[in-house]
Amino acid sequence: MGKLKEQLERRKLSLFISLPANDASLAQAALEEGADALKVHFNVGHRASGTHFGPLSAYEAVFREIRGQFDGPLGVVPSGSLENGSREDLTRLAPMGFDFYSIYAHLLPSYMLEDHGLDQTFAIDATYEFERVRGAGHFGFTALEASIVPGSEYGTPLSFADVLNYRYLAQHSGLPILLPSQRRLVPEDVRVLHDAGVSAIMLGAIVTGKTEDGLRRAVSRFRDAIDRLS
């Protein structure tokens, strides 16, 4: 069993951190405050953080350093377009210490469905018809990242309409739901997201900011809220 699947089965609600930069000190700060898993990026522009991440070769050393800091799930977003991804990069990820990848379904080429020693997750955005995800389990995916907030609404508060969407996906996808913080989530949202069936809250730059102090505060507060769930 892969580390991601094991983590999702072991905890009632996990805390993942999508790092705003490929920085080992930020990774260490997140881990010290209680993160269960980390996600990094390469070869992609990240809209929420306003950051562009370069090729895998530019980050190999820092990725190995981050891997050496903990033994939990370490994931990666490997591309921001169908054209930028490469089979060669994908084959390098497991030997580098990565456990899973996450990528939008419409950017996921067929070769990524092969066994590369990684747990596979995919994301859907606001344009997807939710019923289409019902068949994803057939292809061996470990989890679904529900990135379904329109870009124009990033950073706004969580609504009950969002909660109903997450509940629908949790009930009908057949997969654990990873929830990225496209909304400006607050610790008070933790219980309702858990009750909706979300398996992991993935905090990103909208909630953590880009500094170590901001990241520490956010991770600590959400860790406390998750640990207080009955």
Side-chain angles (χ1 to χ4, degrees), residues 72-84:
L74 177 61
V76 63
V77 178
S79 178
S81 74
L82 278 171
E83 293 78 14
N84 287 347

Side-chain angles (χ1 to χ4, degrees), residues 34-197:
D36 294 311
L38 301 177
K39 188 176 79 170
V40 295
H41 305 71
F42 70 88
N43 221 14
V44 62
H46 191 248
R47 179 169 182 170
S49 66
T51 304
H52 177 76
F53 297 91
L56 178 59
S57 58
Y59 305 114
E60 183 168 353
V62 70
F63 287 163
R64 292 187 184 278
E65 185 177 357
I66 292 171
R67 173 72 286 175
Q69 292 174 342
F70 79 125
D71 192 42
L74 177 61
V76 63
V77 178
S79 178
S81 74
L82 278 171
E83 293 78 14
N84 287 347
S86 80
R87 186 187 296 266
E88 180 183 357
D89 280 349
L90 191 62
T91 61
R92 295 171 62 194
L93 297 179
M96 203 176 292
F98 285 102
D99 303 296
F100 70 97
Y101 71 70
S102 180
I103 189 168
Y104 279 109
H106 60 280
L107 303 180
L108 197 158
S110 59
Y111 65 79
M112 290 188 74
L113 298 175
E114 301 169 7
D115 183 5
H116 295 281
L118 301 165
D119 278 336
Q120 303 172 42
T121 79
F122 73 100
I124 61 172
D125 66 19
T127 68
Y128 280 67
E129 297 175 8
F130 290 170
E131 289 194 0
R132 294 172 61 193
V133 305
R134 288 176 181 264
H138 171 77
F139 295 96
F141 282 91
T142 301
L144 165 63
E145 185 172 334
S147 301
I148 57 174
V149 175
S152 61
E153 298 180 23
Y154 281 11
T156 57
L158 182 74
S159 72
F160 184 55
D162 297 320
V163 173
L164 291 176
N165 286 335
Y166 301 140
R167 179 61 177 163
Y168 182 92
L169 290 171
Q171 288 182 309
H172 297 287
S173 70
L175 294 170
I177 302 301
L178 312 181
L179 177 60
S181 60
Q182 298 172 305
R183 298 292 188 190
R184 189 173 295 279
L185 299 179
V186 294
E188 291 76 15
D189 295 326
V190 165
R191 184 167 297 279
V192 70
L193 293 174
H194 170 258
D195 291 346

